[in-house]
């Protein structure tokens, strides 16, 4: 398997523009997670899906952020309008359902580095 | 609540030095414990794990033992290399009705100099 695939790797956009980040999870993984990483706040869980359904979006910072998972192989994180403080690395991760003794953690993508100027 | 505390970095070592990165946790129930590594410009990668008390996880010369009595999972390596320079995250995994939640520590940056 090619792992979790994110695109683009880097995105530079102007303040006020819409930004869409994309993720393809590992086939067969029924959990998908979106994280944001910054120097100031570290790694933050934004939202996660189970079987394409959003389960917990309490980490989404504002209404400007939205996430969708239209099918098992694709998810998007959209920021509209973008602001400079949204600059961060955004990671997607996926995981299969496993019993406790068989849980191998999450598999992360390489991330999208977003810069809003 | 459930949480993970790691030693603050950066940790700076010379090549071939001994490494310890401390990790302690607070959790209800019986968590699994993980160490992840993040190399510059990359995502987090699973380094090792342990699922129950006294288990030792090991990989690439790194090891950590699940100590329930001290609620700790310290990462060790006998002789570090420059290529080990990265950020290391301790995490605990809690099962909740089929959903395995990972709670991460803040990360510890390791810099190894020749």
């Amino acid at each position: 398997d090619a792992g979790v695939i994110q695109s683009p790797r880097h995105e530079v956009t102007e303040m006020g523009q819409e930004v869409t980040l994309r993720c393809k999870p590992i086939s067969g993984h029924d959990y998908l997670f979106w994280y944001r990483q910054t120097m100031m706040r570290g790694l933050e869980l934004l939202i996660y899906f189970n079987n394409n359904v959003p389960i917990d979006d309490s980490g989404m910072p504002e209404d400007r952020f939205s996430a969708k998972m239209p099918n098992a192989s694709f998810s998007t994180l959209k920021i509209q309008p973008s602001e400079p403080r949204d600059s961060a690395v955004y990671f997607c991760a996926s995981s299969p359902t496993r019993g406790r003794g068989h849980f191998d953690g999450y598999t992360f993508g390489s991330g999208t580095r977003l810069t809003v100027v | 609540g459930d949480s993970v505390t790691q030693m603050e970095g950066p940790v700076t070592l010379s090549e071939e030095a001994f490494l310890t990165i401390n990790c302690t946790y607070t959790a209800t129930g019986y968590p699994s414990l993980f160490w992840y590594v993040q190399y510059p410009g990359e995502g987090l990668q699973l380094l090792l794990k342990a699922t129950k008390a006294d288990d030792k996880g090991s990989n690439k010369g790194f090891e950590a033992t699940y100590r329930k009595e001290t609620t700790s999972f310290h990462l060790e390596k006998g002789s570090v290399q420059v290529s080990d320079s990265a950020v290391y995250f301790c995490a605990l995994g809690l099962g909740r009705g089929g959903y395995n939640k990972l709670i991460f520590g803040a990360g510890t940056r390791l810099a190894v100099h020749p």
Side-chain angles (χ1 to χ4, degrees):
Chain A
D1 201 318
V4 176
I5 300 172
Q6 292 187 245
S7 64
R9 286 299 307 273
H10 303 275
E11 177 79 44
V12 180
T13 190
E14 291 186 348
M15 182 173 64
Q17 296 298 305
E18 177 180 296
V19 176
T20 300
L21 312 181
R22 296 171 176 79
C23 175
K24 176 179 168 56
I26 291 174
S27 177
H29 283 195
D30 50 352
Y31 284 92
L32 183 138
F33 307 86
W34 282 101
Y35 283 85
R36 178 171 70 176
Q37 186 178 41
T38 61
M39 290 294 292
M40 290 295 295
R41 302 169 75 100
L43 197 61
E44 302 173 274
L45 177 63
L46 301 178
I47 184 171
Y48 79 90
F49 295 81
N50 178 223
N51 291 323
N52 315 335
V53 176
I55 303 300
D56 184 353
D57 66 354
S58 59
M60 296 285 260
E62 301 171 36
D63 290 346
R64 298 184 296 106
F65 287 69
S66 62
K68 294 182 180 179
M69 193 165 185
N71 57 63
S73 58
F74 184 65
S75 177
T76 60
L77 178 67
K78 184 179 295 185
I79 308 172
Q80 165 64 14
S82 58
E83 296 183 4
R85 59 195 168 115
D86 301 331
S87 296
V89 182
Y90 291 81
F91 289 104
C92 177
S94 69
S95 172
T97 297
R98 287 284 187 272
R100 192 187 76 84
H102 304 283
F103 176 48
D104 284 333
Y106 304 161
T107 302
F108 283 78
S110 298
T112 296
R113 181 174 295 277
L114 172 65
T115 304
V116 183
V117 298
Chain B
D2 304 316
S3 66
V4 176
T5 302
Q6 290 182 236
M7 63 188 289
E8 287 193 25
V11 174
T12 304
L13 295 173
S14 297
E15 208 165 22
E16 300 183 2
F18 184 86
L19 168 70
T20 300
I21 299 178
N22 290 338
C23 171
T24 57
Y25 68 90
T26 302
T28 53
Y30 303 95
S32 297
L33 299 172
F34 302 83
W35 277 101
Y36 278 79
V37 58
Q38 184 180 26
Y39 298 105
E42 298 184 14
L44 280 71
Q45 304 173 25
L46 179 65
L47 180 60
L48 53 85
K49 73 166 190 174
T51 57
K52 62 183 186 299
D54 300 324
D55 269 2
K56 178 185 283 188
S58 61
N59 187 24
K60 300 181 181 179
F62 291 90
E63 46 181 48
T65 301
Y66 189 142
R67 301 285 188 203
K68 190 165 182 244
E69 63 277 12
T70 55
T71 61
S72 65
F73 193 54
H74 305 322
L75 182 68
E76 297 181 336
K77 187 175 185 183
S79 176
V80 294
Q81 306 300 311
V82 172
S83 57
D84 294 327
S85 299
V87 181
Y88 292 82
F89 292 89
C90 185
L92 67 89
L94 295 164
R96 296 280 188 266
Y99 165 50
N100 289 286
K101 178 178 182 180
L102 268 186
I103 297 173
F104 287 93
T108 302
R109 184 175 298 278
L110 170 66
V112 181
H113 299 288

